Coordinates of all heavy atoms in Angstrom, one line a residue:
M17 N 10.0 9.6 -2.8 CA 9.2 8.5 -3.1 C 9.5 7.3 -2.2 O 8.7 6.4 -1.9 CB 9.3 8.1 -4.5 CG 8.5 9.0 -5.5 SD 6.8 9.3 -5.1 CE 6.1 7.9 -5.9
K18 N 10.8 7.2 -1.8 CA 11.2 6.0 -0.9 C 10.3 5.9 0.3 O 9.9 4.8 0.7 CB 12.6 6.2 -0.6 CG 13.2 5.0 0.2 CD 14.6 5.1 0.5 CE 15.1 3.9 1.3 NZ 16.4 4.1 1.8
E19 N 10.0 7.1 0.9 CA 9.2 7.1 2.2 C 7.8 6.6 1.9 O 7.2 5.8 2.7 CB 9.2 8.5 2.8 CG 8.4 8.5 4.1 CD 8.4 9.9 4.7 OE1 9.4 10.6 4.6 OE2 7.3 10.2 5.2
V20 N 7.2 7.0 0.8 CA 5.9 6.5 0.4 C 5.9 5.0 0.2 O 5.1 4.3 0.7 CB 5.4 7.2 -0.9 CG1 4.1 6.6 -1.4 CG2 5.2 8.7 -0.6
D21 N 6.9 4.5 -0.6 CA 7.0 3.1 -0.8 C 7.2 2.3 0.5 O 6.5 1.3 0.7 CB 8.3 2.8 -1.7 CG 8.2 3.4 -3.1 OD1 7.0 3.7 -3.5 OD2 9.2 3.6 -3.7
E22 N 8.0 2.8 1.4 CA 8.1 2.1 2.7 C 6.8 2.0 3.5 O 6.5 1.0 4.1 CB 9.2 2.8 3.6 CG 10.6 2.6 3.0 CD 11.6 3.5 3.7 OE1 11.3 4.3 4.6 OE2 12.8 3.4 3.4
K23 N 6.1 3.1 3.4 CA 4.8 3.2 4.1 C 3.8 2.2 3.5 O 3.0 1.6 4.2 CB 4.2 4.6 4.2 CG 5.0 5.4 5.2 CD 4.4 6.8 5.3 CE 5.2 7.6 6.4 NZ 4.4 8.1 7.4
V24 N 3.8 2.1 2.2 CA 2.9 1.1 1.5 C 3.3 -0.3 1.9 O 2.4 -1.1 2.2 CB 3.0 1.3 -0.1 CG1 2.2 0.1 -0.7 CG2 2.4 2.6 -0.5
F25 N 4.6 -0.6 2.0 CA 4.9 -2.0 2.4 C 4.6 -2.2 3.9 O 4.2 -3.3 4.3 CB 6.4 -2.2 2.2 CG 6.8 -2.5 0.7 CD1 7.6 -1.6 0.1 CD2 6.2 -3.5 0.1 CE1 7.9 -1.9 -1.3 CE2 6.5 -3.8 -1.3 CZ 7.4 -2.9 -1.9
L26 N 4.7 -1.2 4.7 CA 4.2 -1.3 6.1 C 2.7 -1.6 6.2 O 2.3 -2.4 7.0 CB 4.5 -0.1 6.9 CG 6.0 0.2 7.4 CD1 6.2 1.5 8.0 CD2 6.4 -0.9 8.3
F27 N 2.0 -0.9 5.3 CA 0.5 -1.1 5.3 C 0.2 -2.5 4.8 O -0.6 -3.2 5.4 CB -0.1 0.0 4.3 CG -1.5 -0.1 4.2 CD1 -2.4 0.5 5.2 CD2 -2.2 -0.7 3.2 CE1 -3.7 0.5 5.1 CE2 -3.6 -0.8 3.1 CZ -4.3 -0.2 4.0
M28 N 0.9 -3.0 3.8 CA 0.7 -4.3 3.3 C 1.0 -5.3 4.4 O 0.2 -6.3 4.6 CB 1.6 -4.6 2.1 CG 1.5 -6.0 1.5 SD 2.7 -6.3 0.2 CE 4.2 -6.3 1.2
N29 N 2.1 -5.1 5.1 CA 2.4 -6.1 6.2 C 1.3 -6.0 7.3 O 1.0 -7.1 7.9 CB 3.8 -5.7 6.8 CG 4.9 -6.1 5.8 OD1 4.7 -7.0 5.0 ND2 6.0 -5.4 5.9
S30 N 0.8 -4.9 7.6 CA -0.3 -4.8 8.5 C -1.6 -5.6 8.0 O -2.2 -6.2 8.8 CB -0.7 -3.3 8.8 OG 0.3 -2.6 9.4
L31 N -1.9 -5.5 6.7 CA -3.0 -6.2 6.2 C -2.8 -7.7 6.4 O -3.7 -8.5 6.7 CB -3.2 -5.9 4.7 CG -3.7 -4.5 4.4 CD1 -3.7 -4.3 2.9 CD2 -5.0 -4.2 5.0
M32 N -1.5 -8.2 6.2 CA -1.2 -9.6 6.3 C -1.4 -10.0 7.8 O -2.0 -11.0 8.1 CB 0.2 -9.9 5.8 CG 0.3 -9.9 4.3 SD 1.8 -10.6 3.7 CE 2.8 -9.2 3.6
Q33 N -0.9 -9.2 8.7 CA -1.0 -9.5 10.2 C -2.5 -9.5 10.6 O -2.8 -10.3 11.5 CB -0.2 -8.4 11.0 CG 1.3 -8.6 10.9 CD 2.0 -7.5 11.6 OE1 1.4 -6.5 12.1 NE2 3.3 -7.7 11.7
L34 N -3.3 -8.7 10.0 CA -4.7 -8.6 10.3 C -5.5 -9.7 9.7 O -6.7 -9.9 9.9 CB -5.3 -7.3 10.0 CG -4.8 -6.1 10.8 CD1 -5.2 -4.8 10.1 CD2 -5.3 -6.1 12.2
G35 N -4.9 -10.5 8.7 CA -5.5 -11.6 8.0 C -6.4 -11.1 6.9 O -7.2 -11.8 6.4
I36 N -6.2 -9.8 6.5 CA -7.0 -9.3 5.4 C -6.5 -9.8 4.0 O -7.3 -10.1 3.1 CB -7.0 -7.7 5.4 CG1 -7.7 -7.3 6.7 CG2 -7.7 -7.2 4.2 CD1 -7.6 -5.8 7.0
I37 N -5.2 -10.0 3.9 CA -4.6 -10.6 2.8 C -3.7 -11.7 3.3 O -3.2 -11.6 4.4 CB -3.8 -9.6 1.9 CG1 -2.7 -8.9 2.6 CG2 -4.8 -8.6 1.2 CD1 -1.7 -8.1 1.8
E38 N -3.4 -12.7 2.4 CA -2.5 -13.8 2.8 C -1.1 -13.6 2.3 O -0.2 -13.8 3.0 CB -3.1 -15.1 2.4 CG -2.4 -16.3 3.0 CD -3.1 -17.6 2.7 OE1 -4.2 -17.6 2.0 OE2 -2.6 -18.6 3.1
F39 N -1.0 -13.1 1.0 CA 0.3 -13.0 0.4 C 0.5 -11.6 -0.2 O -0.5 -10.9 -0.5 CB 0.4 -14.1 -0.7 CG 0.3 -15.5 -0.2 CD1 -0.9 -16.2 -0.5 CD2 1.3 -16.1 0.5 CE1 -1.0 -17.5 -0.1 CE2 1.1 -17.4 1.0 CZ 0.0 -18.1 0.7
E40 N 1.7 -11.3 -0.5 CA 2.1 -10.1 -1.1 C 1.4 -10.0 -2.5 O 1.0 -8.9 -2.9 CB 3.6 -10.1 -1.3 CG 4.2 -8.8 -1.7 CD 5.7 -8.8 -1.7 OE1 6.3 -8.6 -0.6 OE2 6.3 -9.1 -2.7
K41 N 1.3 -11.1 -3.2 CA 0.7 -11.1 -4.5 C -0.7 -10.7 -4.5 O -1.3 -10.1 -5.4 CB 0.9 -12.4 -5.3 CG 0.1 -13.6 -4.7 CD 0.3 -14.8 -5.5 CE -0.5 -15.9 -5.1 NZ -2.0 -15.8 -5.3
D42 N -1.4 -11.0 -3.4 CA -2.8 -10.7 -3.2 C -3.0 -9.1 -3.2 O -3.9 -8.6 -3.8 CB -3.4 -11.3 -1.9 CG -3.4 -12.8 -1.9 OD1 -3.4 -13.4 -3.0 OD2 -3.2 -13.3 -0.8
F43 N -2.1 -8.5 -2.5 CA -2.1 -7.0 -2.3 C -1.8 -6.4 -3.7 O -2.5 -5.5 -4.2 CB -1.0 -6.6 -1.3 CG -0.9 -5.1 -1.1 CD1 -1.9 -4.4 -0.4 CD2 0.2 -4.4 -1.6 CE1 -1.8 -3.1 -0.2 CE2 0.3 -3.1 -1.4 CZ -0.7 -2.4 -0.7
A44 N -0.7 -6.9 -4.3 CA -0.3 -6.4 -5.6 C -1.4 -6.5 -6.7 O -1.7 -5.5 -7.4 CB 0.9 -7.1 -6.1
E45 N -2.1 -7.6 -6.8 CA -3.2 -7.8 -7.7 C -4.3 -6.9 -7.4 O -4.9 -6.3 -8.3 CB -3.6 -9.2 -7.7 CG -2.6 -10.2 -8.3 CD -3.0 -11.7 -8.1 OE1 -4.1 -12.0 -7.6 OE2 -2.2 -12.5 -8.5
A46 N -4.6 -6.7 -6.1 CA -5.8 -5.9 -5.8 C -5.6 -4.4 -6.1 O -6.6 -3.7 -6.4 CB -6.1 -6.0 -4.3
I47 N -4.3 -3.9 -6.1 CA -4.1 -2.5 -6.4 C -3.6 -2.3 -7.8 O -3.3 -1.1 -8.1 CB -3.2 -1.9 -5.3 CG1 -1.8 -2.4 -5.4 CG2 -3.8 -2.0 -3.9 CD1 -0.7 -1.6 -4.6
G48 N -3.5 -3.3 -8.6 CA -3.1 -3.1 -10.0 C -1.6 -3.1 -10.2 O -1.1 -2.4 -11.2
V49 N -0.8 -3.7 -9.4 CA 0.7 -3.8 -9.6 C 1.1 -5.2 -10.0 O 0.6 -6.1 -9.3 CB 1.4 -3.4 -8.2 CG1 2.9 -3.5 -8.4 CG2 1.1 -2.0 -7.8
K50 N 1.8 -5.3 -11.0 CA 2.3 -6.6 -11.4 C 3.3 -7.1 -10.4 O 4.1 -6.3 -9.8 CB 3.0 -6.5 -12.8 CG 2.0 -6.2 -13.9 CD 2.6 -6.2 -15.2 CE 1.5 -5.9 -16.3 NZ 2.1 -5.7 -17.6
R51 N 3.3 -8.4 -10.2 CA 4.2 -9.0 -9.1 C 5.7 -8.6 -9.3 O 6.4 -8.3 -8.4 CB 4.0 -10.5 -9.2 CG 4.5 -11.2 -7.9 CD 3.9 -12.6 -7.8 NE 4.8 -13.7 -7.9 CZ 5.8 -13.9 -7.1 NH1 6.1 -13.2 -6.1 NH2 6.6 -15.0 -7.3
Q52 N 6.2 -8.6 -10.6 CA 7.6 -8.3 -10.8 C 7.8 -6.8 -10.5 O 9.0 -6.5 -10.1 CB 8.0 -8.6 -12.3 CG 7.3 -7.9 -13.4 CD 6.1 -8.6 -13.9 OE1 5.5 -9.4 -13.2 NE2 5.7 -8.2 -15.1
N53 N 6.8 -5.9 -10.6 CA 7.0 -4.5 -10.3 C 7.2 -4.3 -8.8 O 7.9 -3.4 -8.3 CB 5.9 -3.7 -10.8 CG 5.9 -3.5 -12.3 OD1 6.9 -3.8 -12.9 ND2 4.8 -3.0 -12.8
V54 N 6.6 -5.2 -8.0 CA 6.8 -5.2 -6.5 C 8.3 -5.3 -6.2 O 8.8 -4.6 -5.4 CB 6.0 -6.2 -5.8 CG1 6.3 -6.3 -4.3 CG2 4.5 -5.9 -6.0
N55 N 9.0 -6.3 -6.9 CA 10.4 -6.4 -6.6 C 11.2 -5.2 -7.1 O 12.1 -4.8 -6.4 CB 10.9 -7.7 -7.3 CG 10.5 -8.9 -6.6 OD1 10.3 -9.0 -5.4 ND2 10.3 -10.0 -7.4
N56 N 10.8 -4.6 -8.2 CA 11.4 -3.4 -8.7 C 11.2 -2.2 -7.7 O 12.2 -1.4 -7.4 CB 10.9 -2.9 -10.0 CG 11.3 -3.8 -11.2 OD1 12.3 -4.6 -11.0 ND2 10.6 -3.8 -12.3
I57 N 10.1 -2.2 -7.1 CA 9.8 -1.1 -6.0 C 10.7 -1.4 -4.8 O 11.3 -0.5 -4.3 CB 8.3 -1.1 -5.7 CG1 7.5 -0.6 -6.9 CG2 8.1 -0.1 -4.5 CD1 6.0 -0.7 -6.8
K58 N 10.8 -2.6 -4.4 CA 11.6 -3.0 -3.2 C 13.1 -2.7 -3.5 O 13.8 -2.3 -2.6 CB 11.5 -4.5 -2.9 CG 10.2 -4.9 -2.2 CD 10.2 -6.3 -1.9 CE 9.0 -6.7 -1.1 NZ 9.0 -8.1 -0.8
N59 N 13.5 -2.8 -4.7 CA 14.9 -2.5 -5.1 C 15.1 -1.1 -5.5 O 16.2 -0.7 -5.9 CB 15.3 -3.4 -6.2 CG 15.4 -4.9 -5.8 OD1 15.8 -5.2 -4.7 ND2 15.0 -5.8 -6.7
G60 N 14.1 -0.2 -5.4 CA 14.3 1.2 -5.7 C 14.3 1.6 -7.1 O 14.6 2.7 -7.5
I61 N 14.0 0.6 -8.0 CA 14.0 0.8 -9.4 C 12.7 1.6 -9.9 O 12.8 2.4 -10.8 CB 14.1 -0.5 -10.2 CG1 15.5 -1.2 -9.8 CG2 14.0 -0.3 -11.7 CD1 15.6 -2.6 -10.3
S62 N 11.6 1.3 -9.3 CA 10.4 2.0 -9.6 C 9.7 2.3 -8.2 O 10.2 2.0 -7.2 CB 9.5 1.2 -10.5 OG 9.1 0.0 -10.0
H63 N 8.5 3.0 -8.3 CA 7.8 3.4 -7.1 C 6.3 3.2 -7.3 O 5.8 3.1 -8.4 CB 8.1 4.9 -6.9 CG 9.5 5.2 -6.7 ND1 10.2 4.9 -5.6 CD2 10.4 5.7 -7.6 CE1 11.5 5.3 -5.7 NE2 11.6 5.8 -7.0
F64 N 5.6 3.2 -6.1 CA 4.2 3.2 -6.2 C 3.7 4.5 -6.7 O 4.3 5.6 -6.4 CB 3.6 2.9 -4.8 CG 3.8 1.5 -4.3 CD1 4.7 1.2 -3.3 CD2 3.0 0.5 -4.8 CE1 4.9 -0.1 -2.8 CE2 3.2 -0.8 -4.3 CZ 4.1 -1.1 -3.4
T65 N 2.7 4.5 -7.5 CA 2.1 5.8 -8.0 C 0.9 6.3 -7.2 O 0.4 5.6 -6.4 CB 1.7 5.5 -9.5 OG1 0.6 4.6 -9.5 CG2 2.8 5.0 -10.3
T66 N 0.5 7.5 -7.6 CA -0.7 8.0 -6.9 C -1.9 7.2 -7.3 O -2.8 7.0 -6.4 CB -0.9 9.5 -7.3 OG1 -1.0 9.6 -8.7 CG2 0.1 10.4 -6.8
K67 N -1.9 6.6 -8.4 CA -3.0 5.6 -8.8 C -3.0 4.4 -7.9 O -4.1 4.0 -7.4 CB -2.9 5.2 -10.3 CG -4.0 4.3 -10.7 CD -4.0 4.0 -12.1 CE -5.1 2.9 -12.4 NZ -6.1 3.4 -13.4
H68 N -1.8 3.9 -7.6 CA -1.7 2.8 -6.6 C -2.3 3.2 -5.2 O -3.0 2.4 -4.6 CB -0.3 2.3 -6.5 CG 0.3 1.7 -7.8 ND1 1.5 2.0 -8.2 CD2 -0.3 1.0 -8.8 CE1 1.8 1.4 -9.3 NE2 0.6 0.8 -9.7
I69 N -1.9 4.4 -4.8 CA -2.3 4.9 -3.5 C -3.9 5.0 -3.5 O -4.5 4.7 -2.5 CB -1.7 6.2 -3.2 CG1 -0.1 6.1 -3.1 CG2 -2.2 6.8 -1.9 CD1 0.4 5.2 -2.1
H70 N -4.4 5.5 -4.6 CA -5.9 5.7 -4.7 C -6.5 4.3 -4.6 O -7.5 4.1 -3.9 CB -6.2 6.3 -6.1 CG -7.7 6.3 -6.4 ND1 -8.5 7.2 -5.8 CD2 -8.4 5.5 -7.2 CE1 -9.8 6.9 -6.2 NE2 -9.7 5.9 -7.1
N71 N -5.9 3.3 -5.3 CA -6.5 1.9 -5.3 C -6.4 1.3 -3.9 O -7.3 0.6 -3.4 CB -5.8 1.0 -6.3 CG -6.1 1.4 -7.7 OD1 -7.1 2.1 -8.0 ND2 -5.3 0.9 -8.7
I72 N -5.3 1.6 -3.2 CA -5.1 1.1 -1.8 C -6.2 1.7 -0.9 O -6.8 1.0 -0.1 CB -3.7 1.5 -1.2 CG1 -2.7 0.7 -1.9 CG2 -3.7 1.2 0.3 CD1 -1.2 1.2 -1.7
S73 N -6.5 3.0 -1.1 CA -7.6 3.6 -0.3 C -8.9 3.0 -0.7 O -9.7 2.8 0.2 CB -7.5 5.1 -0.7 OG -8.6 5.8 0.0
K74 N -9.2 2.8 -1.9 CA -10.5 2.3 -2.4 C -10.7 0.9 -2.0 O -11.8 0.5 -1.5 CB -10.5 2.5 -3.9 CG -11.9 2.2 -4.5 CD -11.8 2.5 -6.0 CE -13.1 2.1 -6.7 NZ -13.0 2.3 -8.1
V75 N -9.7 0.0 -2.2 CA -9.9 -1.4 -1.9 C -9.7 -1.8 -0.4 O -10.5 -2.6 0.1 CB -8.8 -2.2 -2.8 CG1 -8.9 -3.7 -2.4 CG2 -9.1 -2.0 -4.2
F76 N -8.7 -1.2 0.2 CA -8.4 -1.6 1.6 C -8.7 -0.5 2.7 O -8.5 -0.8 3.9 CB -6.9 -2.0 1.7 CG -6.6 -3.2 0.9 CD1 -5.8 -3.0 -0.2 CD2 -7.0 -4.5 1.2 CE1 -5.4 -4.1 -1.0 CE2 -6.7 -5.6 0.4 CZ -5.9 -5.4 -0.7
G77 N -9.2 0.6 2.3 CA -9.5 1.7 3.2 C -8.3 2.4 3.8 O -8.3 2.9 4.9
G78 N -7.2 2.3 3.0 CA -6.0 3.0 3.4 C -6.2 4.5 3.4 O -6.9 5.1 2.6
N79 N -5.4 5.2 4.3 CA -5.5 6.6 4.4 C -4.4 7.3 3.5 O -3.2 7.2 3.8 CB -5.3 7.0 5.9 CG -5.3 8.5 6.1 OD1 -5.5 9.3 5.2 ND2 -5.1 8.9 7.3
P80 N -4.8 7.9 2.4 CA -3.8 8.5 1.5 C -2.9 9.4 2.2 O -1.7 9.5 1.9 CB -4.6 9.2 0.4 CG -5.9 8.5 0.5 CD -6.1 8.1 1.9
N81 N -3.4 10.2 3.2 CA -2.5 11.1 3.9 C -1.4 10.4 4.7 O -0.4 11.0 4.9 CB -3.4 12.0 4.8 CG -4.2 13.0 4.0 OD1 -3.8 13.5 3.0 ND2 -5.4 13.3 4.5
Y82 N -1.7 9.2 5.1 CA -0.7 8.4 5.8 C 0.5 8.2 4.9 O 1.7 8.4 5.3 CB -1.2 7.1 6.3 CG -0.2 6.1 6.7 CD1 0.5 6.2 7.9 CD2 0.1 5.1 5.9 CE1 1.5 5.3 8.3 CE2 1.1 4.2 6.2 CZ 1.8 4.3 7.4 OH 2.8 3.4 7.7
F83 N 0.3 7.8 3.7 CA 1.3 7.4 2.8 C 2.2 8.6 2.4 O 3.4 8.4 2.2 CB 0.8 6.8 1.5 CG 0.0 5.5 1.8 CD1 -1.4 5.5 1.7 CD2 0.6 4.4 2.2 CE1 -2.1 4.4 2.0 CE2 -0.1 3.2 2.6 CZ -1.5 3.2 2.4
F84 N 1.6 9.8 2.4 CA 2.4 11.0 2.1 C 2.9 11.7 3.4 O 3.4 12.9 3.3 CB 1.6 11.9 1.2 CG 1.2 11.3 -0.1 CD1 -0.1 10.9 -0.4 CD2 2.2 11.1 -1.0 CE1 -0.4 10.3 -1.6 CE2 1.9 10.5 -2.3 CZ 0.7 10.1 -2.5
G85 N 2.8 11.1 4.5 CA 3.4 11.6 5.7 C 2.6 12.8 6.4 O 3.1 13.5 7.2
L86 N 1.3 12.9 6.0 CA 0.5 14.0 6.6 C -0.3 13.6 7.8 O -0.7 14.4 8.6 CB -0.4 14.5 5.5 CG 0.2 15.1 4.3 CD1 -0.8 15.4 3.2 CD2 1.1 16.3 4.6
E87 N -0.5 12.3 8.0 CA -1.3 11.8 9.1 C -0.6 10.5 9.6 O 0.1 9.8 8.8 CB -2.7 11.5 8.8 CG -3.5 12.8 8.5 CD -5.0 12.5 8.2 OE1 -5.5 11.4 8.4 OE2 -5.6 13.4 7.6
E88 N -0.9 10.1 10.8 CA -0.3 8.8 11.3 C -1.2 7.6 11.2 O -0.7 6.5 11.3 CB 0.1 9.1 12.8 CG 1.3 10.1 12.9 CD 1.8 10.2 14.3 OE1 1.7 9.2 15.1 OE2 2.4 11.2 14.6
N89 N -2.5 7.8 11.0 CA -3.4 6.7 10.9 C -3.3 6.0 9.6 O -3.5 6.7 8.6 CB -4.8 7.1 11.2 CG -5.1 7.5 12.6 OD1 -4.5 7.0 13.5 ND2 -5.9 8.5 12.8
M90 N -3.0 4.7 9.5 CA -2.9 4.0 8.3 C -4.2 3.9 7.6 O -4.3 3.9 6.3 CB -2.4 2.6 8.5 CG -1.0 2.4 8.7 SD -0.6 0.6 8.8 CE 1.1 0.7 9.1
F91 N -5.3 3.7 8.3 CA -6.6 3.5 7.8 C -7.5 4.8 7.9 O -7.3 5.5 8.9 CB -7.3 2.3 8.5 CG -6.7 1.0 8.3 CD1 -5.7 0.5 9.2 CD2 -7.0 0.2 7.2 CE1 -5.1 -0.7 8.9 CE2 -6.4 -1.0 6.9 CZ -5.4 -1.4 7.8
R92 N -8.3 5.0 6.9 CA -9.3 6.1 6.9 C -10.2 5.9 8.1 O -10.6 4.8 8.4 CB -10.1 6.2 5.6 CG -9.3 6.6 4.5 CD -10.2 6.8 3.3 NE -10.9 5.5 3.1 CZ -11.4 5.0 2.0 NH1 -11.3 5.7 0.9 NH2 -12.1 3.9 2.0
K93 N -10.6 7.0 8.7 CA -11.6 7.0 9.7 C -13.0 6.8 9.0 O -13.3 7.3 8.0 CB -11.6 8.3 10.5 CG -10.4 8.5 11.3 CD -10.4 9.8 12.0 CE -9.1 10.0 12.7 NZ -9.0 11.4 13.3
K94 N -13.8 5.9 9.6 CA -15.1 5.7 9.1 C -16.0 6.8 9.4 O -16.0 7.4 10.4 CB -15.7 4.4 9.7 CG -14.9 3.2 9.3 CD -15.5 1.9 9.7 CE -14.7 0.7 9.3 NZ -15.2 -0.5 9.6
S95 N -16.8 7.2 8.3 CA -17.8 8.3 8.6 C -18.9 7.8 9.4 O -19.3 6.7 9.3 CB -18.2 8.9 7.2 OG -17.6 8.4 6.1
K96 N -19.5 8.7 10.1 CA -20.7 8.4 10.9 C -21.9 8.4 10.1 O -22.1 9.0 9.1 CB -20.8 9.4 12.0 CG -19.6 9.3 13.0 CD -19.8 10.3 14.1 CE -18.6 10.3 15.1 NZ -18.8 11.2 16.2

C-alpha cells in the first residue's frame, strides 16, 4: 500500500502544480478523506482505499492503473 499512497501524493502534487487544486485539503475533501487522515496516511498509520482511488479517477481524471503500478500515465486518456 505504501507505493499506492506515494503515487496518490505525487498525483496530488501534480494537481497543485497544474493549478487544479490549491491546497492539500482541497484534494482530501474532493475524494472524501478527512484532513487528519491525510496525516495518518503520510505517517503510514492508514492508507488510501480503493474507494479513494475511484473518487480520484471520477473527480480529477486520475488513472487507477497508475496508482497500482500497471501504467505510467497519471491521467486517464480521453476517449474519442
